[in-house]
Amino acid sequence: MILLIGPRLDRPSAIGDEGRARAASLGVAAVVTVVVTLAAGLTSGLLDAVQLAGLGGGLVAAGTALLDRESLDGLAVGHFCFMPGGLLCLGGVAAATLVGGPGGFLLALGSTLAALGLASAWANVTHDTTVRAMKQGWAGVFLPFVAGVVLSIVAAFALLLWEFGVAPGVPSLSTLLFLLAFTASAVCLSLMRLPLAHLLAVPREELAQRRAQWRDTARVFVAACLAGWFLVGVLELVGATTGLYRTPGLALLLGVLSTVWVRLPAFLVGVGAVLVALLAALARRATAGNADWLAGPALGMLALFAIPFPILVLLLSGRGGAAGLAGAAFVAALILVAGMLFMLCYSAGPLAVQVGVLPDRAGSLSLASAGLLVAGIGAAALRVPGPVVFACVAGSMVVWDVGEFGLGLTVELGHRPDTRRLELLHGVAAVGLAVGAVVLATGLAVLFGRVGPQGPVLSAVVLAVAGVLALLGPIRG
């Protein structure tokens, strides 16, 4: 629906270029797809699951088209359509499978493929577009793992530094020296990374000289602290400083320097400087004109958790302590697994085009047509009325026929000439042939059910042959 009433997501092609099919032809295909899938969902009792899967397929197609844009707002909207749409597809297919079994799975899967293919045809999604969306999606799925590893390392180092540098069990001068070395290194790193030339009214030459002085001073200070940490630490380990630390004046000084109130500011300054340096490096890279490698995966990760984020908040707020954290971690892991499963399914499309299973020129229309055929198989497995099954198969042929006709007009004429009457005439003829074929196939089903040969296998073979012969009309159209 967004693709029908919203702005065009494709870029109109010139005459002779292979853009998307003409709007009237795709409109006929869209009406047929919606009517057939809704009828199959309604008669099978899986209407909600079919609608959820179809909505997810449309969002995935819209996100795929927008991920081909260069602007940051286009990437943001594309990611927030792409990954949540994939999760909706998985949810719809899973719900249909739980209720209807294999037949429900095929019906929901076919509806998803039909919606995805038809929406991709509207948005003029090409093979190159799907490959770029696949890369962006995988990067968004893998970024949480990378971020989790990096944050775990940083948290472990910060915890280790806190235990041995900020809150030692006994007064120690070596731990204070190590903490000072870390803080000085972090401050120097942040000063080197920050864009001070844009923040301070200082000439660049003078700023470069000051930075060189700061760097040299920091190197000397850090080297002295590390050397003192090593020497004093060795003396503390062998017990040579035990008597010295018990002298009244030095014991009082060490007691003051070992308190949290003295060491905590140094710890916070060091950690804050490291975070500032990381943010400055990321901001510099993001504003250097090649922000896709950073913005795309970050937006994909945010979009992956956009829908389930309220669940995580409720788990953390409803259950405090370890139970809430464990529940939130389980939901986050489940989301990541679902995202990887969706990306595996999505990557099958570009792979199918690459090996020649789907045509590059009309891959979207082929996907929509195949989706309706799969939905028809699922509807037959669910034992829905025969006319609905025949309508799914005939609708598959109609979508392919009118889509190819509209695509041929685009290649020959472009989008400027008014070909609506010609397209509607062809569409009405194709739909009329399909309706006649469905009526004929339904009549043959009733006839063979009453006077046909006995036995389930023989009746099924005769009915299948008769149905295929009756449905050849839309192909010829």
Side-chain angles (χ1 to χ4, degrees):
M1 185 60 68
I2 296 175
L3 298 174
L4 292 176
I5 65 177
R8 290 181 59 162
L9 297 180
D10 68 321
R11 294 174 174 86
S13 62
I15 298 176
D17 292 339
E18 294 183 356
R20 69 164 173 82
R22 294 299 300 259
S25 298
L26 287 181
V28 173
V31 171
V32 171
T33 302
V34 171
V35 170
V36 169
T37 53
L38 288 180
L42 186 62
T43 53
S44 62
L46 300 175
L47 182 59
D48 293 337
V50 168
Q51 288 179 334
L52 185 63
L55 175 61
L59 289 176
V60 170
T64 302
L66 289 173
L67 288 180
D68 197 34
R69 303 296 174 89
E70 299 294 337
S71 59
L72 186 60
D73 55 348
L75 285 176
V77 177
H79 276 292
F80 277 89
C81 289
F82 183 75
M83 195 59 71
L87 296 180
L88 290 178
C89 291
L90 291 180
V93 173
T97 304
L98 290 176
V99 177
F105 170 77
L106 292 177
L107 177 58
L109 178 63
S111 301
T112 302
L113 295 178
L116 177 61
L118 188 61
S120 299
W122 274 102
N124 191 22
V125 173
T126 61
H127 175 62
D128 295 335
T129 307
T130 56
V131 170
R132 181 171 181 177
M134 181 182 66
K135 294 179 180 179
Q136 294 272 349
W138 277 116
V141 170
F142 280 126
L143 184 60
F145 292 99
V146 178
V149 172
V150 173
L151 291 178
S152 299
I153 295 175
V154 172
F157 180 77
L159 182 61
L160 185 66
L161 186 63
W162 174 270
E163 290 292 334
F164 293 97
V166 180
V170 294
S172 174
L173 184 59
S174 61
T175 56
L176 178 61
L177 292 174
F178 181 79
L179 179 61
L180 292 177
F182 164 74
T183 302
S185 303
V187 172
C188 181
L189 179 63
S190 64
L191 290 177
M192 295 300 106
R193 293 293 183 180
L194 282 175
L196 298 179
H198 301 281
L199 301 176
L200 302 176
V202 180
R204 292 183 178 271
E205 295 78 7
E206 182 179 356
L207 181 61
Q209 294 177 359
R210 291 185 180 181
R211 276 182 168 174
Q213 294 175 358
W214 296 338
R215 183 172 58 250
D216 296 338
T217 304
R219 285 176 179 176
V220 174
F221 183 78
V222 171
C225 289
L226 291 178
W229 166 66
F230 178 76
L231 294 176
V232 176
V234 171
L235 293 176
E236 289 177 349
L237 286 176
V238 299
T241 59
T242 304
L244 183 63
Y245 285 172
R246 290 177 180 177
T247 58
L250 191 56
L252 179 61
L253 180 61
L254 274 179
V256 174
L257 294 178
S258 300
T259 59
V260 178
W261 303 105
V262 174
R263 300 193 179 196
L264 182 60
F267 174 78
L268 294 179
V269 169
V271 174
V274 171
L275 294 178
V276 169
L278 290 176
L279 291 177
L282 293 177
R284 187 186 296 274
R285 186 65 64 90
T287 56
N290 54 351
D292 289 351
W293 72 273
L294 175 63
L299 290 171
M301 183 181 65
L302 292 176
L304 182 62
F305 291 93
I307 293 179
F309 182 75
I311 302 177
L312 297 176
V313 174
L314 290 177
L315 285 175
L316 289 176
S317 61
R319 293 183 177 182
L325 290 176
F330 175 76
V331 174
L334 189 62
I335 295 169
L336 288 177
V337 171
M340 294 185 66
L341 180 60
F342 163 67
M343 287 309 305
L344 285 174
C345 297
Y346 183 84
S347 301
L351 181 62
V353 175
Q354 190 68 30
V355 299
V357 177
L358 288 177
D360 189 12
R361 176 176 175 267
S364 300
L365 296 172
S366 302
L367 190 63
S369 179
L372 288 181
L373 187 60
V374 172
I377 297 174
L382 291 172
R383 299 185 181 277
V384 300
V388 177
V389 179
F390 296 139
C392 290
V393 180
S396 171
M397 298 177 182
V398 170
V399 168
W400 172 255
D401 181 59
V402 298
E404 272 290 316
F405 183 77
L407 190 59
L409 290 178
T410 300
V411 174
E412 295 177 4
L413 303 176
H415 285 279
R416 289 185 177 276
D418 186 9
T419 59
R420 187 177 304 173
R421 294 183 61 184
L422 179 61
E423 295 175 75
L424 291 178
L425 178 62
H426 181 86
V428 169
V431 172
L433 287 174
V435 171
V438 170
V439 172
L440 180 58
T442 303
L444 289 175
V446 175
L447 179 62
F448 279 105
R450 293 184 178 180
V451 300
Q454 301 297 321
V457 177
L458 185 59
S459 299
V461 171
V462 174
L463 182 59
V465 173
V468 169
L469 293 176
L471 292 174
L472 286 178
I475 295 180
R476 295 183 59 188

